[in-house]
Amino acid sequence: MARKLRIQYPGAIYHLMNRGDHQERIFCDDEDRKVFLATLAEVCDKTRWQIHSYCLMTNHLHLVIETPDANLVEGMKWLLGVYTARFNRRHKVFGHLFSGRYKALIVDGSGNGYLKSVGDYVHLNPVGAGLLRPEQPLEAYPWSSYPLYLADTAPRPAWLRVDRLLGEWGIRWDQPGAGAQFSAVMEARRQAERDQEFKPLLRGCCVGSKQFRAEMLVYIEEQRGKWHYGAELSESAEAKAERLITEALDAGGITQEQLASWRKGHPFKMELAAKLRAKTTVSVGWIARRLAMGTRGHLAHLLYLKSHPPAEPQQSNQPSLNI
């Protein structure tokens, strides 16, 4: 049975939602949330994603992602797979963490208020879940992007983009007091009736104007019968990896034959493998095959040793005994 089409194109914005398997927790404590945000930062570096808003609950999460390249599928595969592995390792469990496929609604980013509606929904999620008392300000919930929007002077993560959402509220993100303005409108929004407005954000395949939805339906029809994730409209992870390999070989004046003939742990191969691991979402197995570095497990061990070099033995201050 073919899967539902994943719509991908450069510059697409998505409201993504995913829940724990059987409604179970995907975040058991704050350390899990820190691990997820660190993993999110890694995938943004690999894919050039920009995050407009996020909210980490207990058994589900929300992300509003913009993809300058058409790489939602490969990025989400890496993000959810790596976080699951880290969660399982930390809690000494195994198996699925997330429930089936994530939900991805395409958002109209034309500036007509649809990104604002989605961002508000994400930021107000802790209120709807009853995690905040009426007297508590919205920023009292620390595991969403909302407190970072209010921080006019504190540094924000490089992957968090605040200008577009604030712009749809008519707030200049770089002006003094932008955070206070946003807080005022959001606290007022919190008190307003929101159920009817937010219902469309939870169904369908996209959020936007009639013209935007019509364009998406045309796109879906054009992709019908193709691979279930749709056409790849920009370089894939493997294409990016091949480009990085070619650039490294050209810079060093090295041929493909030389690369293949070198031993598995050759320093050039190790540096290149580490770069591919950091800058793309290709698997360790793919890198091992492409660079002739043995099995996946062997390369994984080499990469681990490279990133965790053994500590040098400390010199003892005790006098030596001359026997």
Side-chain angles (χ1 to χ4, degrees):
M1 181 177 177
R3 290 184 173 183
K4 185 178 179 181
L5 179 73
R6 290 292 194 201
I7 305 171
Q8 298 190 113
Y9 58 89
I13 301 176
Y14 304 90
H15 175 200
L16 289 136
M17 295 159 278
N18 209 353
R19 293 186 175 274
D21 200 19
H22 302 296
Q23 301 288 335
E24 294 178 354
R25 293 184 174 197
I26 57 175
F27 306 112
C28 295
D29 54 24
D30 288 349
E31 188 59 32
D32 281 343
R33 295 180 176 90
K34 292 176 183 177
V35 169
F36 181 85
L37 291 178
T39 309
L40 179 63
E42 290 179 53
V43 78
C44 287
D45 186 51
K46 292 172 180 288
T47 60
R48 301 200 305 136
W49 284 357
Q50 300 166 350
I51 308 299
H52 292 285
S53 58
Y54 69 83
C55 188
L56 311 183
M57 305 297 281
T58 301
N59 67 351
H60 69 285
L61 60 85
H62 294 267
L63 298 172
V64 179
I65 297 174
E66 182 171 348
T67 58
D69 305 316
N71 55 7
L72 174 73
V73 172
E74 64 189 44
M76 285 300 293
K77 179 181 178 181
W78 189 92
L79 172 64
L80 299 181
V82 170
Y83 175 69
T84 296
R86 292 173 177 175
F87 179 95
N88 287 350
R89 186 162 56 246
R90 180 169 183 258
H91 294 286
K92 296 180 173 56
V93 296
F94 61 91
H96 295 291
L97 179 61
F98 293 97
S99 175
R101 301 179 79 212
Y102 55 88
K103 188 172 186 179
L105 304 181
I106 283 214
V107 180
D108 184 348
S110 61
N112 293 325
Y114 295 102
L115 178 60
K116 179 179 73 173
S117 294
V118 169
D120 292 353
Y121 173 80
V122 171
H123 286 153
L124 289 169
N125 225 245
V127 177
L131 298 179
L132 291 173
R133 297 188 301 275
E135 68 273 14
Q136 285 184 295
L138 190 55
E139 64 265 29
Y141 187 77
W143 299 110
S144 84
S145 51
Y146 180 74
L148 296 172
Y149 268 80
L150 306 190
D152 286 338
T153 57
R156 301 184 180 100
W159 43 264
L160 180 64
R161 183 175 179 181
V162 303
D163 60 313
R164 294 191 67 170
L165 178 54
L166 291 179
E168 292 200 3
W169 271 108
I171 300 172
R172 283 275 305 276
W173 71 275
D174 55 349
Q175 69 181 7
Q181 291 183 56
F182 188 51
S183 176
V185 298
M186 286 300 293
E187 289 296 342
R189 189 101 157 90
R190 174 182 179 177
Q191 304 303 321
E193 176 59 45
R194 61 191 186 92
D195 289 346
Q196 291 302 315
E197 179 181 353
F198 286 153
K199 279 183 178 179
L201 305 183
L202 301 176
R203 60 173 180 257
C205 68
C206 60
V207 179
S209 64
K210 289 183 179 179
Q211 179 181 352
F212 180 76
R213 293 196 297 270
E215 291 172 353
M216 288 299 102
L217 289 175
V218 170
Y219 181 86
I220 292 171
E221 186 62 32
E222 289 175 349
Q223 303 306 311
R224 192 178 302 279
K226 296 183 180 180
W227 182 44
H228 59 261
Y229 282 144
E232 291 298 322
L233 300 182
S234 70
E235 64 178 356
S236 67
E238 292 186 9
K240 181 179 180 180
E242 290 289 355
R243 174 172 57 80
L244 293 175
I245 293 170
T246 299
E247 290 174 356
L249 294 179
D250 290 346
I254 300 165
T255 67
Q256 295 281 356
E257 291 74 18
Q258 284 177 301
L259 181 70
S261 67
W262 286 342
R263 61 184 175 86
K264 300 172 185 177
H266 190 283
F268 180 88
K269 287 187 175 184
M270 287 302 305
E271 290 298 327
L272 184 52
K275 183 175 183 178
L276 294 176
R277 192 65 178 147
K279 296 298 183 183
T280 76
T281 57
V282 293
S283 67
V284 176
W286 187 94
I287 298 172
R289 291 190 299 272
R290 179 62 181 81
L291 302 185
M293 298 184 72
T295 65
R296 177 199 176 280
H298 178 70
L299 177 55
H301 179 65
L302 291 178
L303 290 172
Y304 178 83
L305 292 178
K306 179 177 174 58
S307 60
H308 298 81
E312 293 187 8
Q314 296 183 349
Q315 292 186 351
S316 174
N317 293 324
Q318 297 295 327
S320 58
L321 298 177
N322 295 321
I323 301 176

